[in-house]
Amino acid sequence: MSDMWIVINTVVAVLAVVIFIVRFHFNPVVSLVLGAAYLGLATKLGVTTTVDTITGGFGEIMADVGLLIAFGVLMGAVLQEMNAIQRLVGTLLKTFGAKRLPYALSLTIATLLQSIFLDVLLVISAPLARNLAPKIGKLGTARMATALAIGLECGIVFMVPGVAALALAGLLGVPLGKMMIYGLILIVPVVVISIAIMSFVFRRGWWSEDKDEQATPQLGHPAGSTPGMAELEQVDEPAGGGVVQKVRTEKETSLVVLLSPLLLALLLIATGAVLEVAEISIRVVEFIASPVIALLIGLIGTCLIARYNVGQKRVETALGRGFAESGQILILTGVGGSLAAMIKEAGLGEILGQYFTASSAAPLLMVWVIAAALHIAVGSVTISAITSAGILAPVAPLIGLDPVFIALAAGAGSLFAVHVTSNTFWLLQSLMGQSTRGTLKTCSVGVSVASVVAILLIMPMSFVL
C-alpha cells in the first residue's frame, strides 16, 4: 500500500473520531475503537491483525499504567475524605500571604495533588479559592480562577501521577521517574510565567467586574476554615422511626502527616529515576522505587492514616468512590492505546520518520499542533494528548528524539483553547462566580498561554537535556 494512502486513512480515522464525539455525541471510548478498527481495515491489515492490535494496544497500555492510575485515584479519594485539601489551602495562605497565593495554590495543585481526579479536585478547591479571592485585591477572582485553571490542566498532562501524564508516558515508553522529573522541571516555570502574564494583562484593564463576574452566593466553607472536626450527621433511629443526631468525629492530625505517604511515594519514584540515570543498582531501592510499588506504599500509608483519622467506614466509602472515578479513566486510556497501536501497525511512523530529524524542532511542533487541533475539536485534554502522541510515537525511535519531549509536547498542545466543550470550563464558571466571558479569559486564554509557554520551553529543553 502506498505511503500516501496510509497517511490519508490515518487522517480520516482521526477525523472520524472527532466527528463521532462532537457531531453524533458518541462516547469517546466507542469513537476511539471505531477509529482504530477503520484504520486497520482500510490499510488492509486484515480482520485478525486489526482485532489483535486493538486488544493488544489496550492490554499493553494497561500493563504500563493501569495500576498507577488506579492507585493514584484511590489515594486522592482518601485524601479528599480527610479534608486534606481544604487544610492545605489554609496553610498556603498563612505561609505565602495573599499576594503570592495564586502562585502557591497553582503550583501545589499542579505538582502535589494530581492523584486526585480533576473534577473532584476542582470542586474541592474552587469554593475555597473563591472565598479567598477578596483577600488578594480587586482582581482576586480573575487571578484565582486563572491560577486554578492553569494548575489543574497543566498538572494532569505534565506531572506524575496526573492521568494524562501517566497515559503519555505509557504510550511512549517513558520511565515514570523520568517523566516526573522532566515534568517538574517544565511545569514550575510554565505555571509561574503564565500566571504572571495573565496578571499583567488583567492589571492593564482586561477584566471587568461588572461583565466578567457574577454576583452569586459563595460556596463551600468560609475562607481559611475547614469542615468542623466534629460534624453532625442525621441517621434513622431503628425502632422509633424518628431522627437523631450522631456526632461524627475526626481526630486532629497534622497536615504533614496526612500528606506524608503521597510525598514519600513521589520521593521514591524520583529516587529511582536518579539512580537509573546514575547507573547505580540497589535492588531493594529499585523495588520500592518502582512506580507501582511506590504508589502502592503511598496508598497503604494514606489508608492507615485515614483509618485513624476518620474511621474505617469512611475509608471504605472513599475507596468505593475512587474505584468509580478510575473506571472511565482506565478504559479511555486503554482505547487510546489501541488507536496508537493501530497507527504504529499501519506504518505511519516509518513514513513520517523520513521527513524529520532529531535536530529539528518540527516533530515537537507537529505534535503540539495536532494535539491543539484535536483539543479544539473534541474538548478533552486527555483524548487529544493521547491521540496526538500515538500518531507520532513511532517516529521517536527512528529520528533519535527522546520520547519524553514528544510526551511533553503532546501535553502542551492538548492544553490549547480549553473552551465550552470542556467540563472544567463550566465548573470554573459556576464555582468561581464568573460569566461566560470571564471564564473565556481566565480558563480559555489563561490555559492557552500556558500551552504556548510550555512548547516554547520544551523545544530548547530538547536540545539541552
Side-chain angles (χ1 to χ4, degrees), residues 95-119:
T95 304
F96 295 97
K99 291 184 178 180
R100 298 184 184 91
L101 183 60
Y103 296 95
L105 180 61
S106 188
L107 284 171
T108 302
I109 288 174
T111 58
L112 182 61
L113 302 179
Q114 285 309 306
S115 62
I116 300 176
F117 187 53
L118 184 141
D119 285 356

Side-chain angles (χ1 to χ4, degrees), residues 102-434:
Y103 296 95
L105 180 61
S106 188
L107 284 171
T108 302
I109 288 174
T111 58
L112 182 61
L113 302 179
Q114 285 309 306
S115 62
I116 300 176
F117 187 53
L118 184 141
D119 285 356
V120 174
L121 180 56
L122 178 54
V123 169
I124 295 171
S125 57
L128 298 170
R130 185 178 177 187
N131 285 326
L132 290 168
K135 292 182 176 291
I136 67 174
K138 184 178 180 182
L139 298 172
T141 297
R143 294 184 64 204
M144 291 300 289
T146 302
L148 273 183
I150 291 174
L152 288 163
E153 299 290 8
C154 286
I156 65 172
V157 297
F158 294 139
M159 194 64 197
V160 172
V163 291
L166 291 175
L168 289 170
L171 280 171
L172 292 156
V174 180
L176 260 294
K178 184 174 185 178
M179 184 72 181
M180 186 174 74
I181 291 174
Y182 278 65
L184 182 61
I185 292 172
L186 175 66
I187 201 170
V188 172
V190 167
V191 169
V192 172
I193 293 171
S194 302
I195 294 176
I197 290 173
M198 293 303 297
S199 297
F200 175 82
V201 173
F202 289 142
R203 290 193 184 100
R204 293 301 179 273
W206 201 52
W207 185 263
S208 169
E209 291 184 359
D210 294 335
K211 297 179 180 179
D212 297 328
E213 298 182 28
Q214 293 178 341
T216 54
Q218 294 190 358
L219 303 173
H221 299 275
S225 71
T226 61
M229 300 308 291
E231 298 183 25
L232 295 177
E233 66 176 353
Q234 290 187 331
V235 294
D236 292 332
E237 191 176 66
V243 176
V244 298
Q245 288 187 322
K246 184 178 76 174
V247 176
R248 183 177 69 190
T249 60
E250 295 179 4
K251 294 181 173 61
E252 183 67 51
T253 305
S254 167
L255 180 61
V256 174
V257 173
L258 297 183
L259 296 175
S260 59
L262 173 59
L263 294 172
L264 175 62
L266 296 178
L267 179 61
L268 287 173
I269 295 173
T271 301
V274 171
L275 292 179
E276 183 179 354
V277 172
E279 298 183 351
I280 299 174
S281 178
I282 305 174
R283 291 193 174 184
V284 174
V285 177
E286 287 178 357
F287 176 73
I288 62 174
S290 61
V292 169
I293 302 302
L295 284 179
L296 177 60
I297 292 171
L299 174 60
I300 293 172
T302 302
C303 288
L304 290 176
I305 291 173
R307 184 175 181 177
Y308 168 79
N309 190 60
V310 299
Q312 181 62 24
K313 185 176 180 180
R314 289 178 64 184
V315 173
E316 292 174 358
T317 300
L319 291 175
R321 186 172 61 247
F323 279 118
E325 292 167 353
S326 63
Q328 182 179 355
I329 302 171
L330 289 169
I331 296 175
L332 179 58
T333 301
V335 296
S338 297
L339 179 58
M342 191 63 70
I343 290 171
K344 180 179 180 180
E345 187 69 24
L348 183 65
E350 288 79 1
I351 297 170
L352 294 178
Q354 301 171 13
Y355 299 97
F356 301 118
T357 65
S359 61
S360 169
L364 296 179
L365 284 174
M366 176 172 281
V367 174
W368 185 88
V369 170
I370 291 172
L374 286 171
H375 184 250
I376 291 170
V378 177
S380 169
V381 168
T382 303
I383 293 174
S384 57
I386 292 173
T387 305
S388 60
I391 291 173
L392 290 183
V395 178
L398 298 176
I399 63 176
L401 186 65
D402 194 323
V404 71
F405 296 115
I406 294 181
L408 294 175
S414 68
L415 297 176
F416 190 78
V418 175
H419 57 99
V420 295
T421 60
S422 169
N423 188 41
T424 303
F425 181 96
W426 296 112
L427 282 173
L428 273 171
Q429 182 200 32
S430 59
L431 294 175
M432 288 301 297
Q434 304 173 92

